Amino acid sequence: MIRNMHYVLLLTACLSATVAAESDRQGRQIFQQLTSHSTVVAVQYQLCEKEGILGACLPSAVCQQQGKFIGYCGNSDNYCCKVIKTCGGRTTSHQAYFRNPNYPGRDSEARVCPFEMDIGKEVCGVRLYFDFFELAKFESGVCIRDTLTVLGSASTKFATTPVCGNLTNWATTFAVKSGSRVTLAMVLQGMPSYKFSVRVTQLPCGQITTFHSPTYAGVKNVNAPPYTPTTTPAPTEEPGTTPTDFPTEPTTLIPDPTTDVPTTDVPTTLAPGVDPKPTTLTPGKLPVPKHDKVVIKAEQGESPPVLEGVDSVPAISAFKRAFELEVNDRFALKVNERCWQYEDESDAGFRIIGGSNTNINEYPWQVALVYKKKFFCGGSLISDRHILTASHCIFGSFSKGIHEVVVSIGDHDLATRDETNHTVGRVKSINWNIHYNPHTTHNDIAILELQEPVEFDQYKNAVRLPTDLDEDYLDANATITGWGRFNIRHKKTNTILKEYTGPLLNTSACVEAWNKFPGINAELDQHVCLDITLGTPCHGDSGGPLVVCSGGAHCTQVGVVSFGFPLCTNVGLPAVFARVTHFKSWLDMTTHPLSVLHV
């Protein structure tokens, strides 16, 4: 009996120790879960989707208070909750829709219409996606009647710019501070009637992925052959009309002849491990142009472009209007008045306006942006779905919607169809920088997302983006490419892709040169500048890439064409580009894909 009691006591002690140990382990596990950033964020900020409606995984009590149940979030106790708010609404949900009161109908009542979202802990960004958005249109580049102003971004230096017009399938992503509040403030006149549905999504810090360039991105086609324009134009469609969204003038196109060098081999991408052609340009020095490669002739008649029936016209940047407003009489007296006139130059070979024609698909990341069958800006392919360009190319444009915006990828001659194996991609969404200011040109960067991914080959490939965000590329040689104006006398864009290589300038000196124009000056941190003594980007080159190539073949995009002297002449003002490294965190947030649980 005593022996059995001993065994019982011993067994009880062992069980007690086991339970205590298990309880201690559970306690530690619970503690670890509560302090684990990834676990908390994964539960607290999970998105869900049902039948095309994006919801938030929320506790049942919160969902009942703020939204409507549409499903269950996996094996958790959370509900997939659809949160829809209208004027005067407020939510703590990390995902909500902000809509006009009569949605999906339209409203015509004049009203002030705010919406507020409380930002959660460990949240670094907010994305606005305009599923449908039609307010009164932009007029003269500004919102006069209806306005949407976003308040609450993390930036203390730059305010957000009010928007209006047709922004259906547009998006913007911006940084916020944890625990803050974002307000979408709308002022609506009701004439014309309005309709909108905006998705507002919080982005947890721990879930924002870093954008990485694709494998073999930035490999230049050093063996690409020269191009000889065809003498027999391809069949053409009726030329499109000039889009009213851009301050342009009707134009005819002038082919830019090159030397009669026959096309030889099919262009190939440099294989890994193969030594590229060494560059012949001394670092930081101006190139010596080859006159036999640049022949600019007088107008000899029209040459109808046929990029899938697309016409080509220069898009004059909004900067031109702002510049003309800022220029005063005193400056006009200091600068030769001839700089304001379109005139021939004695040696046009020294000007892209200088530069030279590229070889076929030498820069496989270069793309042309087209709207209503008109070429208007350049851009660069940075992934199989994303195009990097300038905000001033798209801001306040496309009043009829973005369904007529296309991207020509792998093209070379916009006046022919079959000189390359190019494709035309449709745009799924336009992502602009919410701090872009059309009057100062600050934060002049944007990303277009394509509906379908691009299949990379020797004709179409992504450019590499910088990985060292502290690199300033001072005194490096950089190359710009584009189809912009090639002659200061004629307001015509070029049909054939051109390039110009020159040294980058000290940004402080660039800022000082532009300081004579308050409100349009360059910024030390967000701009990079190019010497334009022998060549310059011009109208139509906007949004195109500025690349630095190491060894002549491996290229990194360091800038996006933003602004310069509006008449594309050298009056001591460098060409200014948005610095890619400065906007890397914005690019990470903008390209970050949402993780959605389907219920």
Side-chain angles (χ1 to χ4, degrees), residues 403-475:
H403 60 281
E404 292 188 81
V405 180
V406 297
V407 180
S408 181
I409 306 160
D411 209 338
H412 181 73
D413 186 346
L414 299 184
T416 63
R417 287 179 175 171
D418 55 1
E419 85 288 0
T420 63
N421 183 28
H422 75 277
T423 60
V424 176
R426 295 202 171 272
V427 175
K428 177 182 179 181
S429 65
I430 293 178
N431 302 265
W432 90 101
N433 190 304
I434 199 170
H435 296 108
Y436 166 67
N437 188 323
H439 306 292
T440 66
T441 69
H442 292 149
N443 304 294
D444 191 10
I445 195 166
I447 290 176
L448 276 58
E449 183 178 358
L450 300 174
Q451 289 184 1
E452 299 293 336
V454 176
E455 185 175 346
F456 293 149
D457 55 28
Q458 68 265 35
Y459 306 100
K460 304 172 288 290
N461 195 14
V463 68
R464 181 173 57 188
L465 298 186
T467 54
D468 183 359
L469 303 187
D470 295 324
E471 175 62 61
D472 60 8
Y473 299 97
L474 183 62
D475 291 331

Side-chain angles (χ1 to χ4, degrees), residues 267-280:
T268 56
T269 302
L270 189 67
V274 177
D275 292 332
K277 292 191 300 183
T279 178
T280 57

Side-chain angles (χ1 to χ4, degrees), residues 193-204:
S193 61
Y194 51 87
K195 175 182 173 181
F196 59 87
S197 177
V198 182
R199 278 189 281 151
V200 189
T201 307
Q202 300 187 30
L203 304 179

Side-chain angles (χ1 to χ4, degrees), residues 143-157:
C143 294
I144 296 178
R145 298 181 182 179
D146 300 341
T147 60
L148 165 63
T149 304
V150 180
L151 308 174
S153 77
S155 176
T156 58
K157 184 176 182 181

Side-chain angles (χ1 to χ4, degrees), residues 316-317 319-321 323-324 327 331-332 335-342 345 351 353 485 488 513-514 516-517 520 530 532 536-539 542 561-576:
I316 309 299
S317 144
F319 166 74
K320 183 177 185 295
R321 298 192 304 272
F323 188 94
E324 290 172 343
V327 170
F331 176 73
V335 180
N336 191 324
E337 292 181 358
R338 290 178 59 195
C339 74
W340 292 96
Q341 303 171 8
Y342 292 95
E345 297 200 338
R351 299 203 162 259
I353 297 186
R485 280 183 53 217
I488 64 172
W514 277 98
K516 61 173 65 73
F517 305 108
I520 315 177
L530 183 71
I532 64 167
T536 179
C538 198
H539 311 134
S542 290
V561 179
S562 183
F563 66 90
F565 187 70
L567 295 189
C568 311
T569 53
N570 183 14
V571 293
L573 297 173
V576 182

Side-chain angles (χ1 to χ4, degrees), residues 9-46:
L9 292 174
L10 204 63
L11 181 59
T12 302
C14 291
L15 289 173
S16 299
T18 302
V19 171
E22 183 66 21
S23 176
D24 182 59
R25 284 195 296 272
Q26 289 178 349
R28 288 198 300 271
Q29 289 172 353
I30 292 174
F31 177 78
Q32 290 167 353
Q33 289 174 356
L34 290 176
T35 56
S36 171
H37 172 76
S38 59
T39 303
V40 172
V41 168
V43 174
Q44 186 178 0
Y45 298 109
Q46 177 65 55

